[in-house]
Amino acid sequence: MNRRHVLDLDDFTADEIELVMQTTDAMKEVLARPIRRVPPLRGKTIVTLFYENSTRTRVSFELAAKNLSADVVNITASASSVTKGESLVDTIRTIQALGADVIVIRHSQAGAPYVVAQHLRGSVINAGDGWHAHPTQSLLDLYTIRERLGPVAGKSVVIVGDILHSRVARSNVWGMTRAGARVTLCGPATLMPPLGGDGLPPVTVDYDLDRALEGADVVMALRIQRERQTGGMLPSLREYVERYQLTPARLRRARPGALVMHPGPMNEGVEISPEVAYGAQSVIEDQVANGVAVRMALLYLLVGERTTELAAAPAPVGARR
Ligand code: CP
């Protein structure tokens, strides 16, 4: 891959996305082995720097880096010198001086990973910045669809919920359309960003979920981000549930066997009913599991030592094989 950073999918070509998908296939094969550790990142240091909470993204990056034999340092901003007033740029300079090859950053401010990229000699991966982008989530979503349904091109994908505050929706609009899917965004008008003038590729917008779901191959419910709501955006949670919750009855409007996705964390009983979240069509746990392989693929493509290929790392002395 001819790039140093992964900041969003707006600058990814369809070929680059396909390269990530094929490399993820190889990483899934590594993960199926009895010993999952391979050497391509031996001697590299990966720093995860999280200014916002996370479970899936942070843990999967840590596992991904360790599976590739990297050294991993996890920094949570609330437990770092950030609380003493250190700026983002000073934090980055410090981490660089300590030898980071890759910084994986999550920040509440849109654009923060781009600032880091300007100050770091190594690579930056955006693990979510404000409402703006979450490219690695979109890549794992794409991989999960491809794994279950084959090529993403031509598939109809409905993304429903709080689109306005969703970095997952934005990156998925880029990623899914670049991969050839037809994307429909659905939700209340108050939670829909102005589209058309913001440079996003063309998508369909529908405020009626029952109509939007007709013939869908994939339905992705988004979390209602209560922490990002300001007054008046959500009429009432009860009304939202009535009109936009993904229920078994609504799901029957989609194609038989349509995939149910959710980036997590879920508000069960709000944007998605428990029957759908844990039902036969749900691939939500696959998304989480695929997150490790996709992030291994990205780390490998950005800074991996290709000459080592993906042969197993030598077992530590005394370890049983
Ligand atoms: N999907 C996602 O980003 O989850 P976390 O906030 O748990 O990382």
Side-chain angles (χ1 to χ4, degrees):
M1 195 158 60
N2 192 21
R3 63 171 57 242
R4 188 146 65 97
H5 310 297
V6 176
L7 300 174
D8 196 1
L9 296 188
D10 55 352
D11 61 351
F12 267 64
T13 63
D15 285 348
E16 262 185 308
I17 290 174
E18 185 53 29
L19 175 63
V20 175
M21 301 293 109
Q22 289 178 12
T23 309
T24 303
D25 286 337
M27 297 304 165
K28 293 269 289 193
E29 191 271 314
V30 167
L31 291 174
R33 296 176 190 169
I35 294 176
R36 298 167 162 208
R37 189 155 294 205
V38 288
L41 263 65
R42 191 185 290 145
K44 304 282 185 192
T45 299
I46 312 299
V47 175
T48 69
L49 174 60
F50 276 59
Y51 287 77
E52 270 190 357
N53 294 339
S54 166
T55 302
R56 295 153 197 77
T57 312
R58 201 199 60 72
V59 173
S60 62
F61 264 114
E62 180 173 353
L63 289 173
K66 286 180 172 169
N67 289 340
L68 295 171
S69 303
D71 295 318
V72 185
V73 179
N74 296 309
I75 302 176
T76 304
S78 59
S80 74
S81 290
V82 169
T83 60
K84 300 175 193 165
E86 186 173 70
S87 72
L88 175 61
V89 171
D90 275 347
T91 301
I92 297 310
R93 288 198 179 113
T94 303
I95 293 171
Q96 179 159 270
L98 293 170
D101 296 290
V102 179
I103 292 184
V104 177
I105 180 169
R106 172 170 289 189
H107 202 288
S108 56
Q109 293 294 321
Y114 294 76
V115 174
V116 176
Q118 285 169 2
H119 290 86
L120 189 73
R121 284 188 293 276
S123 294
V124 179
I125 302 180
N126 182 359
D129 62 326
W131 308 357
H132 173 243
H134 195 349
T136 65
Q137 177 69 43
S138 176
L139 289 166
L140 73 87
D141 292 339
L142 283 164
Y143 187 82
T144 304
I145 295 171
R146 177 182 175 274
E147 183 175 58
R148 289 294 189 122
L149 300 182
V152 174
K155 298 289 183 298
S156 164
V157 179
V158 175
I159 304 177
V160 54
D162 181 356
I163 308 292
L164 178 66
H165 299 108
S166 178
R167 54 197 177 206
V168 174
R170 276 185 186 72
S171 284
N172 263 325
V173 166
W174 283 114
M176 302 265 177
T177 56
R178 204 50 59 81
R182 288 175 285 117
V183 177
T184 299
L185 300 179
C186 182
T190 48
L191 294 179
M192 192 66 71
L195 293 163
D198 57 3
L200 281 173
V203 293
T204 303
V205 173
D206 201 329
Y207 302 110
D208 182 325
L209 180 57
D210 291 324
R211 186 172 55 208
L213 287 175
E214 296 290 344
D217 297 294
V218 176
V219 190
M220 180 183 296
L222 298 176
R223 184 170 71 89
I224 285 289
Q225 301 195 30
R226 289 183 240 202
E227 76 277 18
R228 298 197 210 267
Q229 307 290 335
T230 54
M233 285 180 160
L234 204 57
S236 79
L237 214 51
R238 192 170 59 80
E239 192 180 331
Y240 182 85
V241 167
E242 268 171 29
R243 294 187 58 192
Y244 293 104
Q245 186 184 85
L246 192 54
T247 60
R250 288 214 164 98
L251 186 57
R252 282 194 282 278
R253 293 177 175 270
R255 276 188 201 278
L259 303 184
V260 171
M261 306 181 81
H262 193 302
M266 282 188 284
N267 293 308
E268 274 177 44
V270 180
E271 67 265 5
I272 190 166
S273 73
E275 299 94 311
V276 172
Y278 301 106
Q281 290 169 250
S282 171
V283 293
I284 295 169
E285 285 185 15
D286 295 26
Q287 288 174 270
V288 176
N290 285 336
V292 177
V294 164
R295 288 162 178 138
M296 285 171 72
L298 286 172
L299 290 170
Y300 176 75
L301 290 168
L302 288 178
V303 295
E305 176 55 67
R306 309 295 174 82
T307 54
T308 63
E309 295 301 332
L310 295 173
V317 174
R320 281 192 303 138
R321 285 230 152 206

